[in-house]
Amino acid sequence: MRIVIAEDSAILREGLVQLLELRGVTVAAAVADAEALLAAVAEHRPDAAVVDIRLPPGHTDEGLRAAVRLRRDHPGTGVLIFSQYVETAYADRLFGAGFAGVGYLLKERVMDIGEFVAALERVAAGGTALDPDVVSQLFGASRRSRALDALTPREHEVLALMAQGRTNQSIATALTVSERAVEKHVAHVFAKLGLPPSETDHRRVLAVLRYLEVAGPAGVS
C-alpha cells in the first residue's frame, strides 16, 4: 500500500511516517500543506491519502477542501481524514459520492497503530472507516439541515435577521410586516426546529446557532 500524508505538525508527520513504514506501508510523500498534498497525489497516484483538516496557510479547513478535490479528481485514491476536529461544513461534498473509499478518524481516539493501518487499508480498498463520534455529529448536522429545509421562505428571512441580532420590532420594520406577524413566524421557527419553551435554554439563541451551523458565517450579512 502506497500513501501520501498531509499533516502540518512536523513531529506528528514524521512519527506517522516511521510508524506506518514499520508496518509495511510505503509513504510516497509526507507534506505540510494542501497544495503540496494535491501535487503529491497527482505525481505519485497513491492508494490512499491521510489528510489533516487544518493545514496552512489559514489553518481552517484547507485539508478538508483538498480532500473534496481529491475525491473528485482522483476517485481511485482513498481519502482518510485524520484530525482533532469534526468539521461538518464540507461533509455533504466529502461524502457526496458515497462512503466508499473515505474515512474520518479522530486523532485522540486512535490508540493502536494496527487499528489505524487496518482502517487505512479498508479505505484504500474502497471501504469505509468512520469514528462513531464523527458519524453522530455528521448525521446530526444533516438532520438539522433538513429541519431548516422545512422553514418557509419568510421563516428563513426571519431567522436570518434574528442571526443578525435584530429584535422582533426591527425584523418587522425590515420586512414591512406587523410585529405580531413576526412573533408568529418566530413561533413557527421554534416549533419546526424542535425548540419547546424552556426555563433554562434561550430558544432564540439556540435557533440562531442551528442556522449558523448550517448556513455558516456567510449566511449573516
Side-chain angles (χ1 to χ4, degrees), residues 112-147:
D112 184 276
I113 187 63
E115 293 179 2
F116 181 78
V117 172
L120 189 53
E121 289 174 340
R122 288 200 305 276
V123 170
T128 303
L130 296 174
D131 185 280
D133 280 357
V134 172
V135 173
S136 176
Q137 293 194 45
L138 291 182
F139 280 93
S142 177
R143 287 193 296 271
R144 290 187 285 274
S145 178
R146 288 196 297 272

Side-chain angles (χ1 to χ4, degrees), residues 16-82:
L16 274 175
V17 170
Q18 294 181 29
L19 288 171
L20 291 173
E21 289 187 336
L22 285 174
R23 295 286 180 140
V25 178
T26 299
V27 180
V31 300
D33 61 76
E35 288 302 317
L37 165 66
L38 296 173
V41 170
E43 177 184 354
H44 298 287
R45 303 286 179 172
D47 299 302
V50 178
V51 185
D52 189 16
I53 287 179
R54 301 189 176 184
L55 295 175
H59 294 281
T60 55
D61 57 8
E62 286 85 355
L64 190 52
R65 286 188 278 119
V68 171
R69 288 183 59 182
L70 291 181
R71 294 270 284 163
R72 181 194 67 201
D73 299 339
H74 304 280
T77 297
V79 174
L80 177 60
I81 300 296
F82 190 44

Side-chain angles (χ1 to χ4, degrees), residues 122-219:
R122 288 200 305 276
V123 170
T128 303
L130 296 174
D131 185 280
D133 280 357
V134 172
V135 173
S136 176
Q137 293 194 45
L138 291 182
F139 280 93
S142 177
R143 287 193 296 271
R144 290 187 285 274
S145 178
R146 288 196 297 272
L148 287 186
D149 290 341
L151 301 182
T152 66
R154 178 60 85 185
E155 289 162 359
H156 268 286
E157 289 180 313
V158 169
L159 183 53
L161 290 169
M162 287 168 58
Q164 295 178 21
R166 299 204 186 194
T167 64
N168 285 357
Q169 182 178 6
S170 175
I171 293 172
T173 300
L175 299 180
T176 319
V177 298
S178 69
E179 190 170 350
R180 178 59 180 161
V182 172
E183 291 173 358
K184 289 182 178 179
H185 288 311
V186 171
H188 291 159
V189 168
F190 291 158
K192 291 180 179 180
L193 295 184
L195 299 172
S198 170
E199 294 182 358
T200 58
D201 296 322
H202 196 305
R203 290 192 294 171
R204 201 175 185 93
V205 172
L206 293 176
V208 167
L209 289 175
R210 298 275 182 89
Y211 171 78
L212 292 177
E213 186 175 45
V214 175

Side-chain angles (χ1 to χ4, degrees), residues 80-97:
L80 177 60
I81 300 296
F82 190 44
S83 176
Q84 294 173 272
Y85 312 96
V86 180
E87 176 57 65
T88 61
Y90 281 82
D92 57 337
R93 301 183 194 179
L94 182 65
F95 298 107

